[in-house]
Amino acid sequence: MGIRSIFSKPLAAYMAAQQRKWSLNPSASQTKVFQQNIKAASNTVFGKDHSFEKIKTYDDFKKYVPIRDYEELKPYIEKILNGESDVLWPGKPAYFAKTSGTTSGTKYIPITKDSIPNHIGSAKNALLSYVAETGKSKFLDNKLIFLSGSPETYKTAGINTGRLSGIVNHHVPSYLRGNQLPSYETNCIEDWEQKLDAIIDETLDQPMSLISGIPPWVQMYFDRIQARTGKKIKDVFPKFELFIYGGVNFEPYRQKLFESIGKEIDSIELYPASEGFIAYQDSQKEKGLLLLLNSGIFFEFVPADEYFDENPTRLSIDDVELDKNYALIINNNAGLWGYSIGDTVKFVSKDPYRIVVSGRIKHFISAFGEHVIGEEVEKAMKYAVEKQPETELVEFTVAPNVTPASGLPLHEWYVEFAKEPSDLEAFEKDLNLQLRKLNSYYDDLISGSILKNLEVKSLSRDAFRNYMKSQGKLGGQNKVPRLSNDRKLADALLHYLK
């Protein structure tokens, strides 16, 4: 056992004790964060515009600070881009995390010296939680792969700017840098396919024990290794024992990923976002991700079905209910106030507070009032795949067809299979039946002959990869939307039909 694995165990025990302390005192943890953030930002431009000096309670806060998306916060971001200080948070941001939005174009999300520990410390604590619970730590002595965006940054108004994953790469703890792969030079390659080949060149003969990345891009890495070696991943990396992922639901990818590996291994789910590190999987035994209530973010929750109302209900952690979809709102020590990150979450535990990510506010289908969400289509897909276990899924997305060439409107599922189900018609029926069970509105529309049963559109090999490449979004942290309320993605995929 090496020095990293030896010293990680007492550190993990200490972290786990601290985690229990704050997670079992949720109200006090959030109140402390709330008070610290309001006090720190009271003399900023935003704080003065929103009467922070008058805010003593959460009810006060709701009176003065509305819910915003990026477009509504943009005037304050532009002040920072114009060189102003003390706009959203004291001083200037340490970084801008550059990301893209469907309506906002390029988005510049501030990261401050006060919020960096949230991004860095949370990932570290997820690993330490795993060590504390399982006692496994030998993986820390071997090589660790982080499949991420380029760590290169550039200046925007004098502020270092880049992808979140690249920014985080600059802050990897020194004790992990010695066994981190790929190299900095390889990580800087922009073309994903060139980068992937270079990563394979660097890692193929290394004792890899941990791999981290978004599942579809990790799968591409595995596919290329298998094409080059003819071996299962477990035979290429015999010490590989831990997979860390985030960004998408793992379930649609699980079967194919473990098939590629050749065995099941432990995994840790993370919930990082440019706006903040929200939650992580703290247990291999319990469902859900531990909501980080002590890490610089004061959370609010809006019932998802009220989100587009003029005055939606806004709840603190004290008032949430289990198994109900909420739009997630954050107020953090990077200066994001009443900020909607666009995700919906559902609580699966209140002791401690654990969540699952259930979808995106803007990623839904409601062409006829059915309001089908990401969680529902993923559950339906999981059910259909399990009914025909020989099926291997690569990727899928769902869109409505309001004006088909003939017949009633319907939902179309664009699916790329690694191995098609033996009975595609039965697969389609299972998808439809399960979605009807999961969504009563959809069921009513089918029963009332407003919609007809869904159809699966089988796509050619590498369809999603080629589509993402055509959009300049291959690899890194880019994700295919699971469903859309329009035809933009679906129409683009028509070129890849079998």
Side-chain angles (χ1 to χ4, degrees), residues 40-55:
S42 59
N43 289 318
T44 62
V45 174
F46 188 95
K48 291 175 182 177
D49 286 350
H50 295 82
S51 303
F52 273 26
E53 79 280 0
K54 298 179 182 178
I55 295 175

Side-chain angles (χ1 to χ4, degrees), residues 23-26 286 290 322 347-354:
S23 65
L24 296 177
N25 291 280
E286 303 295 334
L290 183 70
L322 296 178
F347 284 89
V348 294
S349 167
K350 295 172 74 170
D351 186 24
Y353 282 86
R354 292 194 180 98

Side-chain angles (χ1 to χ4, degrees), residues 205-245:
D205 60 350
Q206 297 295 316
M208 307 306 309
S209 56
L210 177 152
I211 297 176
S212 173
I214 292 180
W217 307 125
V218 173
Q219 183 64 60
M220 190 183 296
Y221 171 63
F222 288 169
D223 288 346
R224 291 211 175 183
I225 288 176
Q226 288 185 287
R228 191 183 292 194
T229 66
K231 298 178 180 178
K232 295 285 189 183
I233 300 303
K234 70 178 178 62
D235 298 318
V236 176
F237 300 136
K239 296 187 177 184
F240 179 32
E241 60 179 277
L242 185 60
F243 174 51
I244 299 179
Y245 66 93

Side-chain angles (χ1 to χ4, degrees), residues 101-326:
T102 54
T103 59
S104 304
T106 299
K107 298 195 292 186
Y108 295 94
I109 306 298
I111 297 174
T112 65
K113 62 179 175 54
D114 295 301
S115 69
I116 286 172
N118 162 258
H119 291 281
I120 308 305
S122 301
K124 176 193 72 177
N125 290 342
L127 277 178
L128 291 175
S129 286
Y130 175 79
V131 173
E133 183 186 52
T134 66
K136 299 176 183 178
S137 61
K138 287 184 180 179
F139 68 90
L140 292 168
D141 294 326
N142 296 304
K143 296 293 183 179
L144 320 174
I145 298 179
F146 299 95
L147 297 178
S148 66
S150 171
E152 287 189 308
T153 60
Y154 61 91
K155 297 286 187 180
T156 303
I159 297 168
N160 286 318
T161 303
R163 299 184 182 96
L164 174 66
S165 58
I167 291 169
V168 168
N169 195 280
H170 289 279
H171 296 270
V172 171
S174 57
Y175 65 88
L176 290 179
R177 280 204 176 274
N179 55 352
Q180 177 190 358
L181 287 173
S183 65
Y184 183 87
E185 293 73 23
T186 292
N187 238 349
C188 289
I189 297 172
E190 285 291 341
D191 183 271
W192 175 248
E193 294 186 286
Q194 289 180 22
K195 181 173 180 173
L196 205 52
D197 286 333
I199 291 172
I200 293 171
D201 290 340
E202 286 189 353
T203 59
L204 206 54
D205 60 350
Q206 297 295 316
M208 307 306 309
S209 56
L210 177 152
I211 297 176
S212 173
I214 292 180
W217 307 125
V218 173
Q219 183 64 60
M220 190 183 296
Y221 171 63
F222 288 169
D223 288 346
R224 291 211 175 183
I225 288 176
Q226 288 185 287
R228 191 183 292 194
T229 66
K231 298 178 180 178
K232 295 285 189 183
I233 300 303
K234 70 178 178 62
D235 298 318
V236 176
F237 300 136
K239 296 187 177 184
F240 179 32
E241 60 179 277
L242 185 60
F243 174 51
I244 299 179
Y245 66 93
V248 298
N249 183 359
F250 184 33
E251 288 308 315
Y253 306 97
R254 180 186 295 273
Q255 182 176 341
K256 188 172 190 299
L257 207 70
F258 285 157
E259 170 66 24
S260 297
I261 296 169
K263 64 177 183 179
E264 291 201 9
I265 62 170
D266 288 347
S267 60
I268 301 174
E269 182 177 359
L270 309 179
Y271 183 7
S274 298
E275 297 85 354
F277 204 119
I278 308 299
Y280 58 68
Q281 181 182 348
D282 66 315
S283 174
Q284 296 290 301
K285 302 171 185 175
E286 303 295 334
K287 183 182 178 184
L289 311 180
L290 183 70
L291 189 65
L292 303 182
L293 302 175
N294 74 326
S295 190
I297 303 173
F298 177 75
F299 293 100
E300 299 181 80
F301 307 91
V302 172
D305 56 5
E306 295 184 31
Y307 181 80
F308 293 102
D309 293 353
E310 187 174 343
N311 293 298
T313 304
R314 296 168 68 175
L315 304 172
S316 70
I317 195 68
D318 297 326
D319 298 312
V320 296
E321 300 174 20
L322 296 178
D323 299 317
K324 184 170 183 177
N325 275 308
Y326 294 103

